[in-house]
Amino acid sequence: MFLFARRDPPSNDSTPRASPMIGRASPIGSPHLRHVPSNSSLASYAGPLPTKLPKSVSRRVLLLTVAGLHVFLAAGVVFGWASLAEALAAEGMLCGDEEGCPNQAAAFAVVFTLGTVGNYTSNLPFGLLLDRYGPQRCCVCGALAQLAGSLLMVGQPLIGDAALYAGFFLLGFGGPGIQMATFHMAHLFPKHSGSLIAGSTALFDAGSAIFAIFYQVTRHGGVSLTSCWLAYTLAVLGILASGALLWPPTPFEAQTETDATATNTATNAPERSIRQQLTSRPFLYLVCFAAVHIMRLNFVVATFQQQLASLGFDDVAIEDFVGVFGALLPLGFVGMPLIGHLLDHRPTVLVFALVNIVGTANNVLLLLPNSRVALWGAMALVAVGRQFVYSTFFAQLQRFASPNAYGLMAGVANLCVASTGVLQPLLVNLSTQVCAGL
């Protein structure tokens, strides 16, 4: 009856057991898949055996630490645009020749749009790259894109404004390649895989602080923005080197569960074709689940000020709450221990139910007029709700997808979720008209 099979907590035996895999390595030396998939090959899509887990616990911890740094430094850096825009404005970037810089805001909007479009659209190509060539090359390619973007930012004073547009696009484009190459690291400690993926999503959100640091050191530390980009370029070079040296050519093997009364969906996934996985009810539900919740959360963020006005708050209260809301959003990581524990030790259905209840409660609280207590609760639920949604989405996707198809399925899922963003302007305009008529 359940879309996702119940996943019982792992036994006390922490020794990982490799999933049964089909196929062998490519005769042409492909480290991950035997061939590039075609429509005729979707029914029998298999790859080589995954990389064995390191026996040394210290090496596993090292790999996890490096993976966390990769995600923090690169995966979500473009979403800290608000702070970078302040730093750019302080240096007169994209101001033009007109006094007062009347077109600067529109130019900044274009730069941010390019970065987010690059971040959303690169999931699918990097997913295919991950399946075809493995995490090592996926990370290297993503880091090269990031490196090119940061070098363009360094050279912007010499190259011109075009470097800012292209550079920010590449910074957004390379992030998913670096992050996708780290998800299999959750297999290093199978009993805590849910918590590790939750931690990865928290570090993704925390990465927006990189540009906040840029702003603070340029404003209060007397450091030039070019120096900041040079330092970031060195960090990206570190990502490139560590990914090339430490990441395995194929994902680490996943632990399977052998309980006869509870079959893990991920255990059966390699026996099914990619077409079957993409059209299965669990995958379609997962995509719909993420699309609805992410569109809802983005709508709240985009219309927060308008909603406060419609709830009867005065201008002073609106200004105060908008500032508080902006400060609370990056703190969603406080929900990481809870959602990680549930993903590791409780049935999947319970996790989905909790996330849906949190989302519903958030919506109800935003309908209560002139209630500061309700508004504080709604803001807190938006912050932790993002963490809950992304952690559940990536954790369940990893467990459901077969190892040789994870990149493709993650890319398709992210692209589908991102495509719902076209509804956002329509919903915002509709909300504005409704609020104006109140």
Side-chain angles (χ1 to χ4, degrees):
M1 294 177 63
F2 297 120
L3 285 172
F4 294 93
R6 175 187 174 99
R7 195 179 70 89
D8 290 340
S11 64
N12 293 329
D13 179 13
S14 61
T15 303
R17 296 177 291 275
S19 300
M21 299 293 294
I22 304 172
R24 55 185 178 83
S26 168
I28 60 173
S30 166
H32 201 59
L33 291 182
R34 290 182 296 172
H35 50 80
V36 178
S38 63
N39 290 333
S40 61
S41 68
L42 289 179
S44 57
Y45 194 59
L49 290 174
T51 300
K52 293 289 185 180
L53 293 175
K55 294 182 179 180
S56 170
V57 175
S58 60
R59 180 167 176 79
R60 296 189 192 190
V61 172
L62 171 64
L63 290 171
L64 280 177
T65 302
V66 174
L69 288 173
H70 282 200
V71 174
F72 173 72
L73 290 171
V77 66
V78 293
F79 295 103
W81 166 255
S83 297
L84 180 61
E86 294 289 338
L88 293 173
E91 297 202 0
M93 297 287 187
L94 301 182
C95 196
D97 299 327
E98 299 182 44
E99 186 176 353
C101 304
N103 299 320
Q104 187 182 62
F108 279 179
V110 173
V111 175
F112 178 62
T113 299
L114 286 173
T116 55
V117 167
N119 190 272
Y120 291 142
T121 57
S122 67
N123 279 280
L124 185 56
F126 275 120
L128 292 170
L129 182 65
L130 176 66
D131 290 340
R132 181 67 175 86
Y133 294 107
Q136 185 183 59
R137 296 186 185 181
C138 183
C139 177
V140 168
C141 290
L144 287 174
Q146 291 273 124
L147 181 62
S150 60
L151 287 174
L152 283 171
M153 292 298 200
V154 171
Q156 189 274 337
L158 298 176
I159 301 173
D161 292 342
L164 186 58
Y165 292 99
F168 202 72
F169 171 79
L170 288 171
L171 288 175
F173 188 88
I178 294 172
Q179 186 179 29
M180 274 192 175
T182 66
F183 279 128
H184 70 112
M185 296 293 179
H187 296 157
L188 291 171
F189 295 95
K191 292 174 62 177
H192 307 287
S193 61
S195 297
L196 292 175
I197 291 178
S200 177
T201 60
L203 288 170
F204 178 93
D205 279 342
S208 61
I210 297 294
F211 290 154
I213 296 173
F214 278 26
Y215 175 66
Q216 292 299 324
V217 298
T218 54
R219 181 181 181 183
H220 302 294
V223 179
S224 70
L225 193 56
T226 299
S227 298
C228 290
W229 285 118
L230 283 172
Y232 187 74
T233 300
L234 293 177
V236 176
L237 285 171
I239 294 174
L240 178 63
S242 57
L245 295 174
L246 297 178
W247 275 200
T250 58
F252 287 121
E253 61 185 358
Q255 180 181 12
T256 61
E257 296 171 19
T258 57
D259 190 339
T261 62
T263 303
N264 189 344
T265 306
T267 304
N268 292 332
E271 300 174 0
R272 304 188 309 170
S273 70
I274 290 182
R275 182 183 288 113
Q276 289 174 324
Q277 294 179 65
L278 289 173
T279 58
S280 65
R281 286 191 301 168
F283 180 75
L284 295 177
Y285 174 78
L286 189 62
V287 171
C288 291
F289 164 85
V292 170
H293 278 288
I294 291 173
M295 183 169 63
R296 174 185 62 81
L297 291 166
N298 288 341
F299 175 79
V300 172
V301 173
T303 62
F304 186 69
Q305 188 169 353
Q306 296 169 344
Q307 292 190 58
L308 293 185
S310 69
L311 292 174
F313 291 98
D314 58 37
D315 292 342
V316 175
I318 290 175
E319 183 178 357
D320 291 341
F321 276 117
V322 168
V324 171
F325 187 52
L328 282 177
L329 282 178
L331 301 180
F333 65 85
V334 298
M336 183 192 72
L338 173 60
I339 192 65
H341 173 79
L342 293 176
L343 287 168
D344 286 332
H345 302 291
R346 293 293 181 266
T348 304
V349 174
L350 177 62
V351 179
F352 278 113
L354 173 65
V355 178
N356 290 330
I357 289 171
V358 169
T360 303
N362 176 221
N363 293 339
V364 172
L365 290 174
L366 285 173
L367 295 175
L368 302 180
N370 274 316
S371 174
R372 291 177 175 265
V373 174
L375 185 57
W376 274 98
M379 291 189 297
L381 289 181
V382 170
V384 299
R386 294 200 308 175
Q387 176 72 34
F388 285 6
V389 171
Y390 285 115
S391 298
T392 303
F393 173 68
F394 285 114
Q396 190 55 47
L397 182 64
Q398 186 191 54
R399 291 166 180 167
F400 171 74
S402 58
N404 60 315
Y406 174 80
L408 172 62
M409 296 187 69
V412 171
N414 278 285
L415 199 58
C416 290
V417 171
S419 66
T420 61
V422 300
L423 299 176
Q424 191 77 14
L426 300 176
L427 292 175
V428 171
N429 289 336
L430 178 62
S431 173
T432 302
Q433 294 173 8
V434 172
C435 291
L438 294 178

